[in-house]
Coordinates of all heavy atoms in Angstrom, one line a residue:
P10 N 17.3 4.9 26.1 CA 17.0 5.9 25.2 C 17.3 5.6 23.7 O 18.3 4.8 23.4 CB 17.9 7.0 25.7 CG 19.2 6.3 26.2 CD 18.6 5.1 26.8
I11 N 16.4 6.0 22.8 CA 16.6 5.9 21.4 C 16.6 7.3 20.9 O 15.6 8.0 21.1 CB 15.6 5.0 20.7 CG1 15.6 3.6 21.3 CG2 15.9 4.9 19.2 CD1 14.5 3.4 22.4
C12 N 17.6 7.7 20.1 CA 17.7 9.1 19.7 C 17.7 9.1 18.1 O 17.9 8.2 17.4 CB 19.0 9.7 20.2 SG 19.2 9.6 21.9
E13 N 17.4 10.3 17.6 CA 17.3 10.6 16.2 C 16.0 10.1 15.6 O 15.6 9.0 15.7 CB 18.4 10.1 15.4 CG 19.8 10.7 15.8 CD 20.9 10.3 14.9 OE1 20.6 10.0 13.7 OE2 22.1 10.5 15.2
S14 N 15.2 11.1 15.1 CA 13.8 10.8 14.8 C 13.7 9.6 13.8 O 12.7 8.8 13.9 CB 13.1 12.0 14.3 OG 13.6 12.5 13.1
L15 N 14.5 9.5 12.7 CA 14.4 8.5 11.7 C 14.7 7.1 12.4 O 14.1 6.1 12.0 CB 15.4 8.7 10.5 CG 15.0 10.0 9.7 CD1 16.0 10.1 8.5 CD2 13.6 10.0 9.2
V16 N 15.7 7.1 13.3 CA 16.0 5.9 14.0 C 14.9 5.5 14.9 O 14.5 4.3 14.9 CB 17.3 6.1 14.8 CG1 17.6 4.8 15.7 CG2 18.5 6.4 13.9
I17 N 14.2 6.4 15.6 CA 13.1 6.2 16.4 C 11.9 5.6 15.6 O 11.3 4.7 16.1 CB 12.7 7.5 17.2 CG1 13.8 7.9 18.1 CG2 11.5 7.1 18.0 CD1 13.6 9.3 18.7
L18 N 11.6 6.2 14.5 CA 10.6 5.6 13.7 C 10.8 4.2 13.3 O 9.8 3.4 13.4 CB 10.5 6.5 12.3 CG 9.8 7.8 12.4 CD1 9.8 8.4 11.0 CD2 8.4 7.7 12.9
E19 N 12.0 3.8 12.9 CA 12.2 2.4 12.6 C 12.1 1.5 13.8 O 11.6 0.4 13.8 CB 13.6 2.3 11.9 CG 13.7 2.9 10.5 CD 14.7 2.3 9.6 OE1 14.9 1.0 9.7 OE2 15.4 3.0 9.0
Y20 N 12.6 2.0 15.0 CA 12.5 1.3 16.2 C 11.1 1.0 16.6 O 10.7 -0.1 16.9 CB 13.2 2.0 17.3 CG 13.2 1.3 18.6 CD1 14.1 0.3 19.0 CD2 12.2 1.6 19.6 CE1 14.0 -0.4 20.2 CE2 12.1 1.0 20.8 CZ 13.0 0.0 21.1 OH 13.0 -0.7 22.3
I21 N 10.2 2.0 16.4 CA 8.8 1.9 16.8 C 8.2 0.8 15.8 O 7.4 0.0 16.2 CB 8.1 3.2 16.7 CG1 8.5 4.1 17.8 CG2 6.5 3.0 16.7 CD1 8.0 5.6 17.7
D22 N 8.5 1.0 14.5 CA 7.9 0.0 13.5 C 8.3 -1.4 13.8 O 7.5 -2.3 13.6 CB 8.4 0.5 12.1 CG 7.5 -0.1 11.0 OD1 6.3 -0.3 11.3 OD2 8.1 -0.3 10.0
E23 N 9.5 -1.6 14.2 CA 10.0 -3.0 14.5 C 9.6 -3.6 15.8 O 9.4 -4.8 16.0 CB 11.5 -3.1 14.3 CG 12.0 -2.8 12.8 CD 13.5 -2.6 12.7 OE1 14.2 -2.8 13.7 OE2 13.9 -2.4 11.6
T24 N 9.5 -2.7 16.8 CA 9.1 -3.1 18.2 C 7.7 -3.4 18.3 O 7.3 -4.4 18.9 CB 9.6 -2.0 19.2 OG1 11.0 -1.8 19.1 CG2 9.3 -2.5 20.7
W25 N 6.9 -2.5 17.8 CA 5.4 -2.7 17.8 C 5.0 -3.1 16.4 O 4.4 -2.2 15.6 CB 4.7 -1.5 18.3 CG 5.0 -1.2 19.8 CD1 4.4 -1.8 20.9 CD2 6.0 -0.4 20.3 NE1 5.0 -1.3 22.0 CE2 5.9 -0.5 21.7 CE3 7.0 0.5 19.7 CZ2 6.8 0.3 22.6 CZ3 7.8 1.2 20.6 CH2 7.7 1.1 22.0
N26 N 5.2 -4.3 16.0 CA 5.2 -4.6 14.5 C 3.8 -5.3 14.1 O 3.7 -5.8 13.0 CB 6.3 -5.6 14.2 CG 6.4 -6.9 15.0 OD1 5.4 -7.1 15.7 ND2 7.5 -7.6 14.8
K27 N 2.8 -5.2 15.0 CA 1.6 -5.8 14.6 C 0.7 -4.6 14.0 O 0.8 -3.5 14.4 CB 0.8 -6.4 15.8 CG 1.5 -7.6 16.3 CD 0.7 -8.3 17.4 CE 1.5 -9.5 18.0 NZ 0.7 -10.1 19.1
G28 N -0.2 -4.9 13.0 CA -1.0 -4.0 12.5 C -0.4 -3.1 11.4 O 0.4 -3.6 10.6
V29 N -0.6 -1.8 11.5 CA 0.0 -0.9 10.5 C 1.6 -1.0 10.5 O 2.2 -1.0 11.6 CB -0.4 0.5 10.8 CG1 0.0 1.0 12.1 CG2 0.1 1.5 9.7
R30 N 2.2 -1.1 9.4 CA 3.6 -1.1 9.2 C 4.0 0.1 8.4 O 3.4 0.6 7.5 CB 4.1 -2.3 8.5 CG 3.9 -3.7 9.3 CD 4.5 -3.6 10.7 NE 6.0 -3.4 10.6 CZ 7.0 -4.3 10.5 NH1 6.6 -5.6 10.4 NH2 8.2 -4.0 10.5
F31 N 5.1 0.8 8.9 CA 5.6 2.0 8.2 C 6.5 1.7 7.0 O 6.4 2.2 5.9 CB 6.3 2.8 9.2 CG 5.5 3.2 10.4 CD1 6.0 3.4 11.7 CD2 4.1 3.4 10.3 CE1 5.3 3.7 12.8 CE2 3.3 3.8 11.4 CZ 3.9 3.9 12.6
L32 N 7.5 0.9 7.2 CA 8.5 0.6 6.2 C 8.0 -0.6 5.4 O 7.5 -1.6 6.0 CB 9.8 0.3 6.8 CG 10.7 1.5 7.1 CD1 11.8 1.2 8.0 CD2 11.2 2.2 5.8
P33 N 8.3 -0.7 4.1 CA 7.9 -1.8 3.3 C 8.7 -3.0 3.6 O 9.9 -2.9 4.1 CB 8.0 -1.3 1.8 CG 9.1 -0.2 1.9 CD 8.8 0.4 3.3
E34 N 8.3 -4.2 3.2 CA 9.0 -5.4 3.4 C 10.1 -5.6 2.4 O 11.2 -6.1 2.7 CB 8.0 -6.7 3.4 CG 7.1 -6.7 4.5 CD 7.7 -7.0 5.9 OE1 8.9 -7.5 5.9 OE2 7.2 -6.5 6.9
D35 N 9.9 -5.2 1.2 CA 10.9 -5.4 0.1 C 12.1 -4.6 0.4 O 12.1 -3.4 0.7 CB 10.3 -4.8 -1.2 CG 11.3 -4.9 -2.4 OD1 11.6 -6.0 -2.8 OD2 11.7 -3.9 -2.8
P36 N 13.3 -5.2 0.3 CA 14.5 -4.5 0.7 C 14.9 -3.3 -0.2 O 15.3 -2.3 0.3 CB 15.7 -5.6 0.4 CG 14.9 -6.9 0.6 CD 13.5 -6.6 0.0
L37 N 14.6 -3.4 -1.5 CA 14.8 -2.2 -2.4 C 13.8 -1.1 -2.0 O 14.3 0.1 -2.0 CB 14.6 -2.6 -3.8 CG 14.8 -1.5 -4.8 CD1 16.2 -0.9 -4.7 CD2 14.6 -2.0 -6.2
A38 N 12.6 -1.4 -1.7 CA 11.7 -0.3 -1.4 C 12.1 0.3 0.0 O 12.0 1.5 0.2 CB 10.3 -0.9 -1.3
R39 N 12.6 -0.5 0.9 CA 13.0 0.0 2.2 C 14.2 0.9 2.0 O 14.3 2.0 2.6 CB 13.4 -1.1 3.1 CG 12.2 -2.0 3.6 CD 12.7 -3.2 4.3 NE 13.2 -2.9 5.6 CZ 12.5 -2.9 6.8 NH1 11.2 -3.1 6.7 NH2 13.0 -2.7 7.9
A40 N 15.2 0.5 1.2 CA 16.4 1.3 0.9 C 15.9 2.6 0.2 O 16.5 3.7 0.6 CB 17.3 0.6 0.0
T41 N 15.0 2.6 -0.7 CA 14.6 3.8 -1.3 C 13.9 4.7 -0.3 O 14.1 6.0 -0.4 CB 13.6 3.4 -2.4 OG1 14.2 2.6 -3.4 CG2 13.1 4.7 -3.2
A42 N 13.1 4.2 0.5 CA 12.4 5.0 1.6 C 13.5 5.7 2.5 O 13.3 6.9 2.8 CB 11.5 4.2 2.4
R43 N 14.5 5.0 2.8 CA 15.6 5.6 3.7 C 16.3 6.7 3.0 O 16.6 7.7 3.5 CB 16.5 4.5 4.2 CG 15.9 3.5 5.2 CD 16.9 2.4 5.6 NE 16.4 1.6 6.6 CZ 16.3 0.2 6.5 NH1 16.7 -0.3 5.3 NH2 15.8 -0.5 7.4
F44 N 16.5 6.5 1.7 CA 17.2 7.5 0.9 C 16.4 8.8 0.9 O 17.0 9.9 1.1 CB 17.4 7.0 -0.5 CG 17.9 8.1 -1.5 CD1 19.2 8.4 -1.6 CD2 16.9 8.8 -2.2 CE1 19.6 9.4 -2.5 CE2 17.4 9.9 -3.1 CZ 18.7 10.1 -3.2
W45 N 15.1 8.7 0.6 CA 14.3 9.9 0.5 C 14.1 10.6 1.9 O 14.0 11.8 2.0 CB 12.9 9.6 -0.1 CG 13.1 9.5 -1.6 CD1 13.1 8.3 -2.4 CD2 13.2 10.6 -2.6 NE1 13.3 8.6 -3.6 CE2 13.3 10.0 -3.8 CE3 13.2 11.9 -2.4 CZ2 13.4 10.8 -5.0 CZ3 13.3 12.7 -3.6 CH2 13.4 12.1 -4.8
A46 N 14.1 9.7 2.9 CA 14.0 10.3 4.3 C 15.2 11.1 4.6 O 15.2 12.2 5.2 CB 13.8 9.2 5.3
K47 N 16.3 10.5 4.3 CA 17.6 11.3 4.5 C 17.7 12.6 3.7 O 18.1 13.6 4.1 CB 18.8 10.4 4.1 CG 20.2 11.0 4.5 CD 21.3 10.0 4.2 CE 22.7 10.6 4.6 NZ 23.8 9.6 4.3

C-alpha cells in the first residue's frame, strides 16, 4: 500500500516514468511544486 494522495502522485510519476511526467526535473521547480501542493 501507498497512502496519501500527494505521495501516491509522486510514486506513480517515478514508477511509471515513461512518457508524460508530472514533476519537473529541476530540483528548485520540484521543491516549488511540492510547496504549492502542500
Side-chain angles (χ1 to χ4, degrees):
I11 303 96
C12 304
E13 301 190 16
S14 61
L15 296 182
V16 176
I17 297 171
L18 280 181
E19 292 206 39
Y20 179 83
I21 291 171
D22 198 29
E23 294 172 3
T24 302
W25 293 278
N26 58 9
K27 294 182 180 180
V29 59
R30 294 302 303 267
F31 303 146
L32 278 163
E34 294 294 333
D35 177 69
L37 178 57
R39 290 169 75 90
T41 300
R43 290 181 177 122
F44 170 85
W45 283 100
K47 187 175 181 181

